[in-house]
Amino acid sequence: MDKSTSQDYEDEIQALEEEIRLLTEEYEESTFFSNEEILQAIKSLEGETPGENKGYESVSDLKAELESLERDVSFLTAFTGFHFTSHSKKTVEKTKNGTVQKHRLSGKCHSLSFQLEFQLLEMQNKEKVSAVVSDLSIIMESREDPNVSKFVSSTEERGALLTFFRSISTYAEWYEHRKCTFLHFKAKYPDVVTLPEGLLGDFMILRNPKVSGFELMIVWRIHLDEEGTTTPVLDLLPKVPEQVMEQRMATVESIPGCFRSVLRLFGIQAAIENLIKLLGSEK
């Protein structure tokens, strides 16, 4: 056998070894339970209790445990608003000092969808375990909002994964609260309330059907700053006919200030309710 043929065989063997290594890593990462855990589960289903480990005396016990876990997941989803739809990870590098894994995660917080991609370096020193996030990439459906876009960019630069989850939870709660409030008043006062941009818009218009040309626009924006602080910002913009403006200019100009005062005293829903009732009483 000549040297060139021998070298070809060696190259092919090395390529096969590399492929086996990659397939082994992929298998290990995609397997959520070890062989021992799978064996224990099988024995549990057969009615065997493996040593000191927790087993199940019957299939009904296993079903009860699964139902309990499902209730726990449902509680956490309802409590936090987060629902994860997919997750994958891949080992990028392994050293004596730590392991680098690439994660892909997608889900929703209430009605807001998001996708995350990041690298996680896990290091263990004696009894202490630390983790460092890098290469964070965030995709959100609300990124067309300039405030959300700035927050996402700032979070990606800092690799602040925990800040993202904490902040987006509060933001999504306000987002959901606004949508539910708009739906409530549209259903309760269909002749008065108009939503030109639907439930996902940031304003609603109030009209008295008996007064032509007079309307009130409630603007409700949800501000998210670069540090992740969420602040609801509401304002009232009146639109009145010119003849009314000339006769009652001072009264019309005082409406937005009065609305903000009522907001501070009674809250958002009560302030809108009182405004609608006041609008309906005008002739």
Side-chain angles (χ1 to χ4, degrees):
M1 184 183 297
D2 56 30
K3 291 185 178 181
S4 61
T5 304
S6 176
Q7 184 63 41
D8 291 339
Y9 281 133
E10 289 180 3
D11 292 343
E12 186 173 351
I13 290 171
Q14 289 180 359
L16 288 172
E17 289 177 345
E18 178 66 16
E19 185 175 354
I20 291 171
R21 185 186 67 80
L22 293 174
L23 288 173
T24 301
E25 287 185 359
E26 184 176 349
Y27 170 77
E28 290 175 349
E29 291 166 4
S30 62
T31 303
F32 293 94
F33 302 98
S34 66
N35 293 335
E36 183 181 0
E37 290 171 326
I38 293 172
L39 183 60
Q40 288 177 2
I42 293 172
K43 289 181 179 180
S44 297
L45 288 172
E46 293 174 347
E48 300 181 17
T49 304
E52 298 180 354
N53 294 324
K54 181 179 178 181
Y56 302 94
E57 295 182 357
S58 65
V59 175
S60 61
D61 290 340
L62 177 58
K63 288 182 178 179
E65 180 70 14
L66 290 174
E67 290 173 357
S68 176
L69 291 173
E70 288 175 352
R71 287 193 297 269
D72 290 343
V73 172
S74 297
F75 170 76
L76 289 173
T77 299
F79 183 72
T80 65
F82 283 102
H83 174 66
F84 299 106
T85 55
S86 68
H87 172 247
S88 65
K89 65 179 180 179
K90 180 180 180 181
T91 300
V92 178
E93 183 182 0
K94 282 186 178 181
T95 65
K96 294 181 180 179
N97 298 325
T99 302
V100 179
Q101 290 183 325
K102 188 172 185 178
H103 293 257
R104 288 188 176 91
L105 181 68
S106 63
K108 284 187 173 184
C109 185
H110 295 289
S111 60
L112 295 181
S113 299
F114 61 86
Q115 296 179 33
L116 303 177
E117 185 174 310
F118 57 92
Q119 287 195 166
L120 187 66
L121 169 60
E122 293 183 345
M123 298 174 290
Q124 186 168 0
N125 183 12
K126 295 182 180 180
E127 297 180 356
K128 184 179 179 181
V129 178
S130 60
V132 178
V133 176
S134 63
D135 297 338
L136 177 61
S137 175
I138 303 171
I139 299 175
M140 286 190 60
E141 64 178 17
S142 294
R143 196 160 181 174
E144 63 271 11
D145 183 334
N147 293 321
V148 174
S149 181
K150 290 179 181 178
F151 164 72
V152 168
S153 297
S154 174
T155 304
E156 288 175 335
E157 290 175 4
R158 293 180 286 123
L161 187 59
L162 293 179
T163 298
F164 169 78
F165 284 116
R166 285 196 297 264
S167 302
I168 210 62
S169 176
T170 304
Y171 177 81
E173 284 179 7
W174 275 107
Y175 193 90
E176 196 71 15
H177 179 49
R178 181 180 65 184
K179 185 175 71 173
C180 292
T181 302
F182 283 178
L183 177 62
H184 166 75
F185 285 112
K186 178 60 180 176
K188 189 174 182 179
Y189 302 103
D191 297 332
V192 176
V193 176
T194 303
L195 301 173
E197 295 184 354
L199 295 175
L200 300 181
D202 59 4
F203 69 95
M204 64 190 300
I205 294 177
L206 310 179
R207 294 190 181 98
N208 186 335
K210 299 178 182 179
V211 181
S212 178
F214 181 79
E215 66 182 37
L216 300 174
M217 177 187 291
I218 298 176
V219 181
W220 184 349
R221 294 189 173 91
I222 303 172
H223 180 74
L224 179 66
D225 65 21
E226 294 185 18
E227 300 301 319
T229 302
T230 299
T231 307
V233 180
L234 284 87
D235 207 351
L236 182 66
L237 305 176
K239 178 183 177 182
V240 299
E242 291 184 5
Q243 61 271 26
V244 176
M245 190 68 179
E246 293 173 356
Q247 297 172 2
R248 293 183 160 183
M249 180 177 294
T251 302
V252 172
E253 290 178 346
S254 67
I255 292 177
C258 293
F259 177 70
R260 287 190 289 270
S261 297
V262 175
L263 273 175
R264 288 191 292 269
L265 290 173
F266 301 105
I268 295 173
Q269 192 149 333
I272 296 176
E273 182 82 33
N274 289 332
L275 188 63
I276 292 175
K277 289 180 179 179
L278 179 64
L279 182 65
S281 67
E282 293 294 327
K283 297 182 180 179

